[in-house]
């Protein structure tokens, strides 16, 4: 098991990046970048060293390998450059199929006498294309929707078309929400209003009476079992969501006393997202099933037990012994839920319930990849082999740093790092007091960087690692600058340090030669991807190749189809990016559904500027500058048209294709 932090989570990074020294091949690349593990059946590296998506084909033949560079070329032919998002609709289909097949198998193997139905939580990816695709691919499995807000409910009511489709309404509800849900019921959909707070029941009863429609009600139960990881607060007794067991009994008794017990159709629980341990899934399933069995035994004919989301995605590809990766497969997940339901309902001698899950990220994550061009790399060089000559009148601060350099203690590299920082701070303090000159300060800094490099080199040599040393790995890495915004395209990487796989899209048959931190284009020190899954762990730097001037070199960030698109923000006014979809037909890639990203004018409009007004204001400034003879009137047109072209341009750095 990986080392645990005191917040109960595995450390994001635990490995130092090591540039390969031995022979290299595309297989080595696949292992080193983790493609063969997190990429599972979805991604691979072709013999030419290109990262490919393995797109299943309707023909039932083996998947078609589509290099992601082809999607970039396709967009370039339409005059659009990076960053871009590539969508893989077939991966949504594959995710839905895998989940439904897993439950079919588990139901058969446990001889469970009820069914499984999945609902897709709209919040995971609300894009129109996703809802279209879920509605169409999901119809063969009877997949419904989960809505957590009024806008999501309104979308779901339009997308559902099959009578009896399940629509689970979670989230806090006002009267309008309840009325819309009841209308859905009247239209023939199986709409369940899940009570998150006791007061909601009053609203539901009032609306139901006014509209003369009998609702189906669910109760969201606060499980006592806490989850684990970033989303652990979604469950447990202190969770802000759901009702506790005494509230559950009060509400149930109330409905029974009012002759409305038959309204109760669902028991709902949600243990949190990205639950990586199967025993946590089992523990909460056990608790929910016990509650179900008791209510059933009291004569409440609940039809569904809804286990919510939580089915985890293997973002890090680290295998079952590492807490950052799930220790189970989708088949294990289905099996544990069905087995628990079967065991407890049999013991209690009550009817089995239909099992519902609201799995989101497991279905949507592989659906999208972000692609960005690396524009520049600032290399970090230290004269490793060269001795730094100390002058005769060397200041004490430089001597102290040099002493540390000469006797680095292998047994306490964290301590050596800390001493280096203290000695450097002392040198800076001496400079601030005017006690050392600028040249002496520069000397101290040279020794300091050499000292840090030597500490890191020792750590690599003796295979030592710690949080401080992985940080040092990032500090001493080269700085790569890629054309994207982390705030727009990878918000969870920025906000909660979520790990996403990052891989160069080309030259994977060549040995990488640089260790880099990938920075985005925002003017923000948080604008960097800080963790990179690699073979056997996660490091704070990514291996890239030497990039020559003018070379088109791209990186891809994978498994970003869940939550990232709409959690994003417009930091620095970097807007929505271009989108292209790729499918396969008869062994050939088909590119479609190109959506152009936001222009500068679009992004400015989002924050309530009018591009037309801005253009007028800029023209006014030009006129003033001409009046004041700062600008020749012959330059007016060039200035105006360049400004207007800027308003129409992509918000990201121009690449040739955008010009
Ligand atoms: C109530 C509810 N259901 C389902 C989900 C989807 O979870 P996941 O994406 O982990 O499957 C969430 C997300 O946290 C949720 O809050």
């Amino acid at each position: 098991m990986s080392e645990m932090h005191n917040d109960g989570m595995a450390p994001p990074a635990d490995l130092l990046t090591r540039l390969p020294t031995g022979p290299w091949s595309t297989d080595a690349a696949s292992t080193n970048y983790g493609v063969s593990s997190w990429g599972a059946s979805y991604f691979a590296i072709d013999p030419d060293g290109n990262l490919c998506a393995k797109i299943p084909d309707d023909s039932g033949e083996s998947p078609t390998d589509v290099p992601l560079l082809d999607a970039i070329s396709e967009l370039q032919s339409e005059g659009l450059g990076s960053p871009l998002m590539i969508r893989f609709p077939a991966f949504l289909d594959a995710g839905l199929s895998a989940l439904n097949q897993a439950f079919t198998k588990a139901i058969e193997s446990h001889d469970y006498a009820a069914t499984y139905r999945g609902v897709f939580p709209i919040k995971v990816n609300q894009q129109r294309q996703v809802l279209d695709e879920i509605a169409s691919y999901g119809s063969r499995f009877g997949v419904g929707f989960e809505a957590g807000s009024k806008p999501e409910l309104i979308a779901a009511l339009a997308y559902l078309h099959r009578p009896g489709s399940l629509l689970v309404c979670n989230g806090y509800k006002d009267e309008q929400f309840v009325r819309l849900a009841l209308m859905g019921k009247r239209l023939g959909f199986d709409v369940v209003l899940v009570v998150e707070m006791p007061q909601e029941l009053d609203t539901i009863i009032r609306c139901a009476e006014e509209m003369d429609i009998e609702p189906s009600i669910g109760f969201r139960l606060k499980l006592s079992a806490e989850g684990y990881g970033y989303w652990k607060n979604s469950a447990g007794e202190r969770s802000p969501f759901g009702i506790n067991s005494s509230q559950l009994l009060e509400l149930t008794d109330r409905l029974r006393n009012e002759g409305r017990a038959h309204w109760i159709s669902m028991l709902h629980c949600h243990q949190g997202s990205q639950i990586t341990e199967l025993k946590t899934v089992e523990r909460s399933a056990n608790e929910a099933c016990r509650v179900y069995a008791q209510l059933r035994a009291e004569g409440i004919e609940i039809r569904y037990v809804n286990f919510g989301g939580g089915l985890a995605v293997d973002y890090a590809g680290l295998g079952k012994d590492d807490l950052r990766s799930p220790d189970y497969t989708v088949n294990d997940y289905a099996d544990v839920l069905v087995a628990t339901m079967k065991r407890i309902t049999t013991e209690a001698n009550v009817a089995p319930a239909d099992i519902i899950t609201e799995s989101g990220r497991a279905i949507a994550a592989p659906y999208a990849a972000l692609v960005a061009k690396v524009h520049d790399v600032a290399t970090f060089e230290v004269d490793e082999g060269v001795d730094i000559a100390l002058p005769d009148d060397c200041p004490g601060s430089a001597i102290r740093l040099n002493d540390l350099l000469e006797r680095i203690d292998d047994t306490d590299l964290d301590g050596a790092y800390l001493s280096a920082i203290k000695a450097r701070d002392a040198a800076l303090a001496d400079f601030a007091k005017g006690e050392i000159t600028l040249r002496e300060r520069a000397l101290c800094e040279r020794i300091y960087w050499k000292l840090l490099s030597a500490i890191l080199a020792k750590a690599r040599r003796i295979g030592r690692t710690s949080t401080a040393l992985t940080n040092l790995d990032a500090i001493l890495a080269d700085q790569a600058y890629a054309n994207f915004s982390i705030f727009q395209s990878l918000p969870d990487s920025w906000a909660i340090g979520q790990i996403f796989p990052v891989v160069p899209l080309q030259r994977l048959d060549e040995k990488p030669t640089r260790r880099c931190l990938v920075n985005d284009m925002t003017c923000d020190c948080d604008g960097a991807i800080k963790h990179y899954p690699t073979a056997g762990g996660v490091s704070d730097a990514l291996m890239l190749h030497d990039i020559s001037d003018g070379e088109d070199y791209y990186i891809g960030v994978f498994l970003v189809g869940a939550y990232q698109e709409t959690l994003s923000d417009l930091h620095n006014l970097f807007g929505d990016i271009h989108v292209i979809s790729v499918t396969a037909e008869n062994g050939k890639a088909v590119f479609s559904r190109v959506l152009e990203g936001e222009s500068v004018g679009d992004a400015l409009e989002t924050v309530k500027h009018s591009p037309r007004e801005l253009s007028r204001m800029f023209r006014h400034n030009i006129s003033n500058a001409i009046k004041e003879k700062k600008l020749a009137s012959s330059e007016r047109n060039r200035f105006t048209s360049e400004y207007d072209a800027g308003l129409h341009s992509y918000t990201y750095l121009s690449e040739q294709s955008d010009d």
Side-chain angles (χ1 to χ4, degrees):
M1 276 278 159
S2 56
E3 178 197 341
M4 297 271 275
H5 273 197
N6 56 10
D7 56 3
M9 287 165 55
D14 60 351
L15 274 192
L16 301 183
T17 28
R18 280 168 194 280
L19 290 171
T21 47
W24 184 260
S25 63
T26 51
D27 283 348
S30 187
T31 311
N32 272 280
Y33 290 103
V35 180
S36 46
S37 38
W38 58 258
S41 51
Y42 295 126
F43 300 99
I45 300 172
D46 74 10
D48 296 330
N50 297 314
L51 201 292
C52 294
K54 297 172 79 62
I55 313 277
D57 205 310
D58 278 350
S59 63
E61 297 294 312
S62 51
T64 303
D65 284 358
V66 182
L68 299 198
L69 293 183
D70 290 1
I72 301 170
S73 308
E74 181 70 23
L75 264 192
Q76 282 174 340
S77 70
E78 302 207 15
L80 306 174
S82 103
L84 58 133
M85 171 159 305
I86 308 180
R87 291 185 177 152
F88 311 101
F91 295 171
L92 270 186
D93 192 13
L96 288 172
S97 304
L99 185 61
N100 281 277
Q101 281 158 11
F103 273 99
T104 306
K105 196 166 151 222
I107 283 173
E108 268 168 30
S109 86
H110 292 282
D111 195 17
Y112 186 65
T115 60
Y116 164 74
R117 288 165 83 183
V119 290
F120 181 75
I122 295 180
K123 72 170 139 212
V124 173
N125 194 328
Q126 302 96 333
Q127 298 293 325
R128 172 183 178 169
Q129 190 178 340
V130 176
L131 298 197
D132 269 343
E133 280 155 1
I134 294 279
S136 104
Y137 299 142
S139 61
R140 68 186 192 281
F141 303 115
V143 175
F145 286 112
E146 182 264 354
S149 65
K150 195 157 52 187
E152 289 180 359
L153 170 63
I154 285 184
L157 284 172
Y159 274 87
L160 288 178
H161 49 269
R162 281 165 40 126
S165 295
L166 187 56
L167 172 55
V168 178
C169 300
N170 291 326
Y172 304 120
K173 300 163 193 68
D174 62 8
E175 241 179 61
Q176 194 176 29
F177 186 125
V178 173
R179 295 172 72 84
L180 284 163
L182 290 172
M183 285 179 200
K185 186 121 203 273
R186 181 57 64 78
L187 295 180
F189 303 123
D190 191 357
V191 184
V192 183
L193 278 158
V194 177
V195 173
E196 303 255 5
M197 290 192 297
Q199 310 82 289
E200 283 175 4
L201 189 59
D202 295 330
T203 315
I204 295 173
I205 293 175
R206 196 170 53 250
C207 293
E209 279 173 349
E210 279 167 19
M211 295 172 75
D212 194 20
I213 301 174
E214 287 215 321
S216 297
I217 288 180
F219 289 119
R220 175 156 175 183
L221 179 66
K222 273 187 197 182
L223 295 175
S224 66
E226 262 198 13
Y228 153 81
Y230 308 121
W231 296 275
K232 67 178 179 187
N233 293 336
S234 329
E237 278 149 355
R238 299 296 305 146
S239 153
F241 309 107
I243 53 178
N244 60 30
S245 48
S246 56
Q247 289 168 326
L248 173 71
L249 290 174
E250 266 166 42
L251 298 182
T252 311
D253 290 347
R254 170 179 170 188
L255 286 173
R256 195 187 351 233
N257 295 339
E258 291 172 359
R260 292 170 171 145
H262 60 288
W263 286 8
I264 307 172
S265 78
M266 177 178 286
L267 185 70
H268 182 288
C269 59
H270 170 69
Q271 182 70 10
S273 199
Q274 188 65 2
I275 299 172
T276 56
E277 290 182 291
L278 192 60
K279 66 173 195 283
T280 312
V281 175
E282 187 168 14
R283 210 172 41 234
S284 43
N286 192 76
E287 188 177 341
C289 294
R290 289 267 174 232
V291 175
Y292 165 75
Q294 297 270 321
L295 291 177
R296 262 278 172 179
E298 288 193 13
I300 308 291
E301 296 198 350
I302 295 175
R303 176 169 174 202
Y304 302 117
V305 176
N306 181 342
F307 292 100
L311 175 56
V313 171
D314 194 359
Y315 291 103
L318 295 175
K320 62 185 179 50
D321 290 334
D322 193 299
L323 280 172
R324 292 163 295 188
S325 284
D327 64 0
Y328 60 89
T329 63
V330 61
N331 287 339
D332 299 333
Y333 176 79
D335 195 77
V336 109
L337 294 187
V338 175
T340 309
M341 283 295 286
K342 169 84 183 185
R343 177 173 51 78
I344 293 179
T345 52
T346 311
E347 266 170 38
N349 196 21
V350 296
D354 286 343
I355 295 174
I356 310 294
T357 64
E358 298 173 353
S359 304
R361 79 173 62 239
I363 288 168
Y367 172 69
L370 164 73
V371 171
K373 181 168 164 178
V374 177
H375 268 265
D376 212 350
V377 179
T379 52
F380 178 85
E381 308 285 355
V382 184
D383 347 309
E384 297 266 359
V386 185
D387 280 340
I388 300 176
L390 299 187
D392 294 341
D393 55 349
C394 186
S397 42
I399 293 174
R400 272 190 300 280
L401 277 159
N402 204 53
D403 283 350
L404 290 173
L405 176 60
E406 280 171 3
R407 9 168 219 94
I408 297 173
D409 178 2
D410 281 8
T411 60
D412 184 14
L413 292 176
D414 276 15
Y417 181 24
L418 192 62
S419 307
I421 294 171
K422 280 192 186 151
R424 190 271 321 258
D425 288 351
L428 292 179
D430 288 351
F431 179 72
K433 284 186 271 171
E435 289 172 3
I436 63 171
T437 65
L438 182 57
R439 282 182 197 285
E440 287 166 340
R441 170 184 162 162
L443 173 69
C444 292
E445 283 174 358
R446 276 180 68 208
I447 307 173
Y448 171 70
W449 289 113
K450 189 164 177 175
L451 171 57
L452 294 194
S453 296
I455 294 171
L456 190 59
K458 270 204 187 237
R460 278 210 189 89
R461 212 162 32 246
I462 60 177
R464 181 78 41 80
T465 182
S466 68
T467 307
L469 292 169
T470 53
N471 278 341
L472 188 55
D473 198 25
I475 290 169
L476 299 185
D478 295 340
Q479 303 281 342
Y481 299 92
N483 196 11
F484 78 107
S485 156
I486 200 166
F487 306 93
Q488 175 62 236
S489 296
L490 303 172
D492 277 341
S493 166
W494 160 61
I496 55 175
Q498 190 181 320
I499 297 163
F500 291 103
V502 191
V503 189
L505 298 186
Q506 62 287 292
R507 297 176 55 191
L508 291 162
D509 50 346
E510 285 174 45
K511 215 183 262 192
T513 44
R514 311 228 61 104
R515 302 177 312 101
C516 296
L517 182 75
V518 177
N519 295 279
D520 72 0
M521 288 291 124
T522 62
C523 310
D524 197 309
C525 57
D526 267 355
I529 303 177
K530 296 188 175 146
H531 311 300
Y532 307 89
T534 179
V538 176
S539 68
D540 278 355
L542 176 70
M543 294 185 299
L544 295 180
H545 302 89
D546 274 304
I547 306 172
S548 31
D549 281 351
E551 178 182 349
D552 287 342
Y553 188 93
Y554 295 94
I555 53 166
V557 186
F558 293 85
L559 308 180
V560 301
Y563 299 104
Q564 302 314 293
E565 271 190 79
T566 37
L567 280 179
S568 64
D569 73 34
L570 265 184
H571 192 26
N572 277 138
L573 295 183
F574 286 113
D576 280 355
I577 63 174
H578 306 316
V579 177
I580 186 166
S581 291
V582 49
T583 50
E585 250 174 55
N586 303 321
K588 290 218 161 40
V590 179
F591 297 102
S592 61
R593 300 186 84 150
V594 170
L595 301 173
E596 197 170 333
E598 278 176 320
S599 67
V600 171
D602 296 335
L604 285 162
E605 271 190 304
T606 314
V607 282
K608 309 291 176 239
H609 299 283
S610 148
R612 187 191 287 245
E613 182 68 5
L614 290 173
S615 186
R616 195 194 57 70
M617 287 152 70
F618 184 69
R619 276 165 223 255
H620 182 70
N621 286 343
I622 294 177
S623 299
N624 283 347
I626 293 173
K627 265 189 229 142
E628 289 166 17
K629 308 227 172 310
K630 290 182 188 145
L631 192 72
S633 58
S634 57
E635 289 179 291
R636 179 196 297 273
N637 284 352
R638 188 166 59 80
F639 272 53
T640 317
S641 51
E642 194 125 340
Y643 186 85
D644 289 345
L647 278 173
H648 287 105
S649 67
Y650 202 16
T651 55
Y652 296 86
L653 292 197
S654 287
E655 294 174 0
Q656 258 155 4
S657 43
D658 292 322
D659 295 338

